[in-house]
Amino acid sequence: MKQWASALEWIESRLNPQTFERWFGAVVWGGFDGSMLTLKVPNKFFKEWLSNNYCDLIEDAMARQCGSRPLVVFEVDEQAAPALVPPPPEAVAAPTLSARAHVVLPHTNGASRLNPKYTFDSFVVGSSNQLPHAASLAVTEMVGTKYNPLFVYGGVGLGKTHLVHAIGNTIRARRPGTRVCYLSSEQFMNDFVWALRNDKMDVFHRYFRKEVDVLLMDDIQFIAGKDRTQDEFFHTFNSLYEQKRQIVLTSDKYPQEIPDLEERLRSRFQWGLIADIQPPEFETRLAIVKKKAEDEGIQVLDDVAVFLARSIKSNVRELEGSLINLAAHASLEGRTVIDIEFAQHTLKKVIALAQAPLTVEAVQETVCKHFQVSLDDLRGGCRQRSVAFPRAVAMYLCRKGLSSSLPELGARFGGKDHTTVLAAYRKIEKKVSEEPDTRSRIEALERLLGF
Ligand code: ADP
Ligand code: MG
């Protein structure tokens, strides 16, 4: 299917090559009927990891190809070859854009989006996350009255989404009638835009202001710079707050540090409790590896758990991903126990990447891939925006992330003057501070490069 092939290319450009290869290398196209995309994977580890971590990305990628977001379904097919096999051309189904005739808001199927695996039981508590964990528990005991809003912030992959789901799952288990709505602020924006376009603002208002008892909104930083969405969220917030309905927000930044956020929202975010999650220390990382292995029925030897906890420090998602990836590969090879040789061998690239020093070439290659320009063009002199902008971005990232001097960087970009590098750096720096879209793009690149 052509759309999937293009979608896959786009996905590839958004991920670092190892991550892409580890997770998408084993995905085989299984069919697309215009509204549902079926992907085949070789075992349950791939299925769970991909559906928990990459559904949104896959949906975004498909939406770019066919205009509407399909539902992504993973099927375990042990025969599915772990290779990027392009699907047969005759199987192409014309997308029926109207297939998803929405009667309700597209993203607000509320509690059904809660992942049952993200519970308090499966969350390992350590000094890095004690406060947000305790505050989240308190919220489930005194819904709407203790900490409102609860604002949890911290870096990527540190457990914010997990905690928020745990809140939702616990409240629903204790009080089954409670209407819990979990969504990201991006989905909130999409629903808002959809409601505007389809003349359904009444449905939107009714839902968010009246039919939600607990609003769990993930990644609120995304609405920065989106004026109308912020305005809408402001009214949603006020309405829920006045009715003493619980609001929980997560963000990758402290409210004061979210740029382009309206002051009135900033101040509201501080009305309740703000709790930050820090990267876990070694003992917590080790406990997480052991707990995940136990929960998933993966047998890892102690030295493997220590090896993982020592090697992968900054991000729990990476840590967990490496463990699940080991299990996925062990299962492909028919191994029942994961030992240290197997672990070191399988994760060699990933761990080398985590520790490798950043180079100009790595920055240039990552930028080329992201913007889909060639290395020659990036280092060349073409002034067309489609090339000049990625070049300036690459220069900016090199200047920011490496200790090389300006003349040295100029030389690595095809012999340019140091003033050119400086000008590019300043230009992008300005854009980053003024344009939220550019900023999030650059931040995504920085994450890819491990800044
Ligand atoms: P964030 O939303 O902060 O980017 P997530 O909540 O998605 O991060 O967490 C990434 C992964 O790491 C999830 O699979 C989650 O279960 C796991 N995780 C993070 N912190 C913990 C923890 N303290 N205990 C157990 N698992 C955790
Ligand atoms: Mg998250």
Side-chain angles (χ1 to χ4, degrees):
M1 217 266 304
K2 245 179 78 200
Q3 284 153 323
W4 172 239
S6 315
L8 202 56
E9 259 177 36
W10 185 77
I11 292 172
E12 189 177 5
S13 73
R14 319 292 290 186
L15 297 176
N16 84 39
Q18 275 74 21
T19 309
F20 179 77
E21 197 184 304
R22 279 156 85 198
W23 298 111
F24 287 87
V27 173
V28 174
W29 183 78
F32 178 55
D33 68 0
S35 62
M36 191 167 93
L37 171 71
T38 307
L39 298 173
K40 294 188 179 172
V41 289
N43 58 43
K44 68 168 179 146
F45 298 113
F46 282 100
K47 174 173 171 163
E48 282 178 19
W49 187 259
L50 285 161
S51 47
N52 283 338
N53 294 280
Y54 294 110
C55 263
D56 283 348
L57 185 68
I58 297 172
E59 283 179 22
D60 286 350
M62 286 300 286
R64 293 170 69 90
Q65 301 306 320
C66 47
S68 67
R69 294 175 79 82
L71 190 69
V72 181
V73 180
F74 292 96
E75 254 175 31
V76 174
D77 176 359
E78 282 161 10
Q79 306 305 317
L84 298 176
V85 182
E90 65 272 22
V92 175
T96 49
L97 291 182
S98 59
R100 302 190 85 200
H102 303 293
V103 277
V104 289
L105 299 169
H107 292 103
T108 44
N109 44 355
S112 64
R113 291 187 82 95
L114 287 176
N115 183 337
K117 277 173 115 180
Y118 289 166
T119 60
F120 287 114
D121 276 347
S122 61
F123 191 83
V124 175
V125 187
S127 53
S128 56
N129 56 31
Q130 215 158 9
L131 176 64
H133 173 262
S136 301
L137 271 179
V139 159
T140 65
E141 273 149 25
M142 282 166 274
V143 182
T145 52
K146 175 98 177 165
Y147 300 127
N148 207 14
L150 171 62
F151 188 99
V152 178
Y153 79 96
V156 180
L158 297 183
K160 301 180 296 295
T161 298
H162 187 135
L163 270 182
V164 168
H165 281 248
I167 295 176
N169 283 322
T170 307
I171 293 179
R172 279 185 43 92
R174 286 211 192 120
R175 310 181 190 183
T178 312
R179 293 165 300 181
V180 176
C181 171
Y182 167 82
L183 81 174
S184 70
S185 69
E186 186 174 9
Q187 287 161 343
F188 178 83
M189 183 185 81
N190 290 342
D191 275 356
F192 171 54
V193 171
W194 175 86
L196 277 177
R197 283 213 189 116
N198 294 282
D199 202 14
K200 291 276 187 293
M201 278 312 290
D202 53 334
V203 179
F204 185 90
H205 286 149
R206 192 172 60 238
Y207 180 78
F208 281 106
R209 298 182 190 181
K210 302 219 166 64
E211 295 172 4
V212 170
D213 297 320
V214 176
L215 179 66
L216 308 172
M217 191 166 297
D218 220 349
D219 296 317
I220 193 74
Q221 76 277 359
F222 181 83
I223 64 169
K226 317 253 176 357
D227 295 348
R228 292 193 66 182
T229 306
Q230 288 195 43
D231 189 48
E232 197 53 48
F233 184 70
F234 174 75
H235 295 294
T236 304
F237 184 104
N238 290 346
S239 167
L240 295 177
Y241 187 87
E242 275 158 24
Q243 300 169 75
K244 294 205 166 34
R245 311 262 171 104
Q246 179 70 45
I247 302 166
V248 181
L249 307 167
T250 76
S251 163
D252 63 354
K253 293 187 192 68
Y254 184 73
Q256 295 300 347
E257 286 164 6
I258 305 177
D260 300 312
L261 186 70
E262 285 180 23
E263 206 42 53
R264 53 186 188 166
L265 281 177
R266 220 187 280 276
S267 73
R268 273 164 180 73
F269 292 170
Q270 302 179 63
W271 280 357
L273 181 78
I274 300 184
D276 73 322
I277 299 200
Q278 293 289 332
E281 58 310 344
F282 173 74
E283 289 74 13
T284 310
R285 297 200 298 275
L286 187 61
I288 291 174
V289 172
K290 292 193 165 171
K291 174 121 190 116
K292 296 276 172 189
E294 194 185 308
D295 290 352
E296 300 289 336
I298 302 168
Q299 296 216 24
V300 283
L301 299 175
D302 266 356
D303 53 349
V304 174
V306 170
F307 165 69
L308 285 172
R310 280 241 168 82
S311 321
I312 302 166
K313 297 190 178 135
S314 58
N315 179 325
V316 183
R317 186 180 288 120
E318 277 290 312
L319 185 62
E320 190 184 354
S322 298
L323 173 72
I324 307 282
N325 199 248
L326 278 182
H329 284 281
S331 144
L332 281 177
E333 293 184 15
R335 283 173 184 266
T336 45
V337 178
I338 296 170
D339 60 32
I340 188 80
E341 285 78 30
F342 178 74
Q344 282 173 339
H345 175 74
T346 311
L347 297 179
K348 208 165 54 203
K349 268 194 192 163
V350 182
I351 288 171
L353 186 80
Q355 289 164 354
L358 191 64
T359 59
V360 174
E361 286 70 32
V363 173
Q364 291 176 334
E365 276 166 25
T366 305
V367 170
C368 282
K369 205 157 188 192
H370 179 82
F371 289 99
Q372 310 206 321
V373 298
S374 73
L375 211 51
D376 283 346
D377 281 346
L378 195 87
R379 293 177 185 153
C382 166
R383 284 166 183 257
Q384 251 175 30
R385 196 188 133 78
S386 61
V387 181
F389 180 66
R391 183 185 302 127
V393 167
M395 289 177 171
Y396 169 84
L397 291 169
C398 284
R399 171 96 182 126
K400 194 169 162 193
L402 298 165
S403 52
S404 319
S405 66
L406 289 171
E408 208 174 315
L409 286 178
R412 308 290 279 278
F413 278 84
K416 299 204 173 45
D417 195 70
H418 72 278
T419 51
T420 312
V421 181
L422 188 60
Y425 177 79
R426 297 224 168 107
K427 182 175 124 194
I428 301 297
E429 189 182 42
K430 183 156 181 283
K431 277 182 175 290
V432 165
S433 71
E434 287 171 0
E435 300 169 9
D437 285 349
T438 308
R439 181 180 319 113
S440 57
R441 209 160 178 176
I442 301 280
E443 282 174 355
L445 281 164
E446 291 181 351
R447 272 200 298 277
L448 270 178
L449 291 164
F451 273 32

